[in-house]
Amino acid sequence: MTDTPLRAGRVDRRTAETDVSVALTLDGTGRASIATGVGFLDHMLELLARHALFDLDVKVTGDLHVDQHHTTEDCGIALGQAFAQALGDKRGIRRYADLHLPMDEALTRVAVDISGRPFLVFRTTFAREKIGAFDTELVREWFQAFAMNAGITLHVETLYGDNQHHIAESCYKGLARALRHAVEVDPREGGRVPSTKGSL
């Protein structure tokens, strides 16, 4: 029996606004240690790790005296970079995944292509500007930062919902479940890159 290489990535990103450290293992158990200084973001990233079955460590020191924007965006950037690093040349992965994720009264559709061509379609709106102390517009900012730096094509659309927390949670859980499937190794691929071009 041969050992499977560990698919893991680590990114340390420091700017004048934030200091971000991310460690990610794709073939994990859903263990998470998250400390961004933003409680709602911590909760969403814990959900992401648990439902993707990724092991995830995130630590952020940010300029929260300004607002939560830089912390949220830079966390998405670093996590996206760690994800791309962990995937390497993408040999053998399923690549595509889509699903509908229900969260009580909310339903969100998520589709992902680990394509190497970053693109985000985000059709989710929030009726209120805040979930607790968290700016709801930052949900999209995080998804944008993650998709661009992970190198994935990502479509997120909330079909309906009333509770703003449930809507946001359905987006993160939907992403988690889609990524969990898309990064799985497909034995039928035989280690090939899943593209007629031969690279992604």
Side-chain angles (χ1 to χ4, degrees):
M1 181 175 178
T2 59
D3 292 331
T4 303
L6 183 67
R7 297 191 298 172
R10 181 176 184 91
V11 170
D12 295 298
R13 185 178 189 274
R14 180 174 293 180
T15 71
E17 298 165 341
T18 62
D19 187 352
V20 184
S21 175
V22 172
L24 171 69
T25 302
L26 297 182
D27 304 303
T29 62
R31 181 197 56 77
S33 175
I34 313 293
T36 67
V38 180
F40 185 77
L41 182 59
D42 288 357
H43 179 43
M44 294 299 105
L45 295 180
E46 288 165 0
L47 293 172
L48 178 69
R50 177 64 184 88
H51 288 276
L53 292 181
F54 296 164
D55 288 343
L56 179 60
D57 293 285
V58 177
K59 185 174 181 181
V60 185
T61 303
D63 56 357
L64 295 178
H65 63 285
V66 176
D67 63 12
Q68 299 175 351
H69 187 283
H70 298 141
T71 293
T72 303
E73 182 179 30
D74 289 2
C75 178
I77 289 171
L79 183 52
Q81 291 172 348
F83 179 83
Q85 187 184 117
L87 275 178
D89 62 9
K90 308 177 185 71
R91 288 186 179 276
I93 64 169
R94 296 189 186 279
R95 176 178 170 178
Y96 293 98
D98 67 276
L99 79 160
H100 289 77
L101 197 292
M103 177 65 196
D104 294 354
E105 87 299 339
L107 183 67
T108 295
R109 174 169 55 210
V110 177
V112 64
D113 174 13
I114 301 177
S115 60
R117 299 185 305 278
F119 199 90
L120 175 68
V121 175
F122 193 82
R123 294 180 177 172
T124 294
T125 58
F126 294 93
R128 295 200 314 272
E129 293 182 358
K130 297 276 190 180
I131 301 173
F134 188 78
D135 294 329
T136 51
E137 68 179 8
L138 294 181
V139 175
R140 188 192 191 286
E141 290 299 320
W142 186 91
F143 274 79
Q144 176 79 12
F146 177 78
M148 294 303 106
N149 288 274
I152 64 174
T153 299
L154 177 60
H155 292 245
V156 180
E157 181 177 20
T158 299
L159 304 179
Y160 46 80
D162 297 311
N163 183 286
Q164 309 305 290
H165 188 126
H166 294 167
I167 290 171
E169 190 164 325
S170 68
C171 293
Y172 278 91
K173 283 182 175 177
L175 174 63
R177 289 283 171 165
L179 290 178
R180 174 175 167 178
H181 184 74
V183 303
E184 282 181 350
V185 174
D186 183 350
R188 295 181 63 196
E189 281 290 355
R192 297 175 300 174
V193 174
S195 171
T196 55
K197 295 188 295 293
S199 66
L200 289 170

